[in-house]
Amino acid sequence: MNAESDERDGAAAPADPAPATGDATEGATGDVVPGVAKVDPELGSRAPGFIKASRALHLSWQVGVFMVGLAVVVAGIIMLPLPGPGWLVIFGGMAIWATEFVWAQLVLRWTRRKVTEAAQRALDPKVRRRNIALTVIGLVIVAVLVGIYVWKFGIVMPWKIHE
């Protein structure tokens, strides 16, 4: 299910002596070693050691984590049109997957980076002024439309209070 889980210790030797992307990492003495991709110790399986020791048990663990994460993500997708925290539940399912699968860890990192960038853009004074101006204009338009509707048709309650 996950090719990256075979590199459990994070000490994979590079297959290519020269990097195609220009990656470099620090060696044991602190010098930069070209051609060696930087291995992130946070990526990979977070299963307990006794589970990683047995290939069959680790594969069963991965299947279980995948199924639980899938159930949570499906519940989140169902909650999108219904009342409930749909996106929050979907990201919770992704977090469950990220405990075992590198691709989910990378998706969560990308999402976290994009959310942080959006938050920084939203805090920009020019963007805040623009957003406030657009909100005020939208509210004025809605108020005018409601006023026109009430002027033309009046307010009619769906129930009769006087009875």
Side-chain angles (χ1 to χ4, degrees):
M1 289 181 75
N2 185 9
E4 289 86 3
S5 67
D6 292 337
E7 300 171 6
R8 295 194 179 111
D9 296 332
D16 194 13
T21 60
D23 290 342
T25 187
E26 291 184 10
T29 60
D31 55 338
V32 174
V33 180
V36 178
K38 191 171 187 178
V39 177
D40 193 350
E42 295 178 13
L43 293 179
S45 175
R46 292 190 181 101
F50 72 92
I51 290 177
K52 290 183 189 178
S54 169
R55 181 100 172 130
L57 189 56
H58 191 244
L59 185 61
S60 301
W61 178 268
Q62 285 182 329
V63 168
V65 167
F66 182 80
M67 296 307 289
V68 169
L70 182 65
V72 173
V73 167
V74 167
I77 291 172
I78 291 171
M79 285 185 202
L80 285 176
L82 300 175
W87 284 110
L88 186 65
V89 173
I90 289 172
F91 289 130
M94 289 297 294
I96 291 171
W97 280 338
T99 63
E100 193 60 34
F101 302 107
V102 173
W103 60 267
Q105 293 169 358
L106 296 175
V107 167
L108 280 179
R109 283 185 181 180
W110 178 83
T111 304
R112 188 175 297 131
R113 188 175 64 244
K114 291 298 180 183
V115 166
T116 304
E117 289 172 6
Q120 291 300 321
R121 280 194 310 267
L123 293 176
D124 181 25
K126 284 173 129 178
V127 174
R128 287 186 71 188
R129 281 191 298 268
R130 183 199 65 200
N131 289 345
I132 290 171
L134 288 174
T135 302
V136 168
I137 290 170
L139 288 174
V140 167
I141 290 172
V142 168
V144 166
L145 291 175
V146 168
I148 292 172
Y149 179 85
V150 168
W151 173 69
K152 187 151 181 115
F153 299 108
I155 298 178
V156 178
M157 295 295 173
W159 58 87
K160 298 186 183 211
I161 297 175
H162 55 67
E163 289 182 3

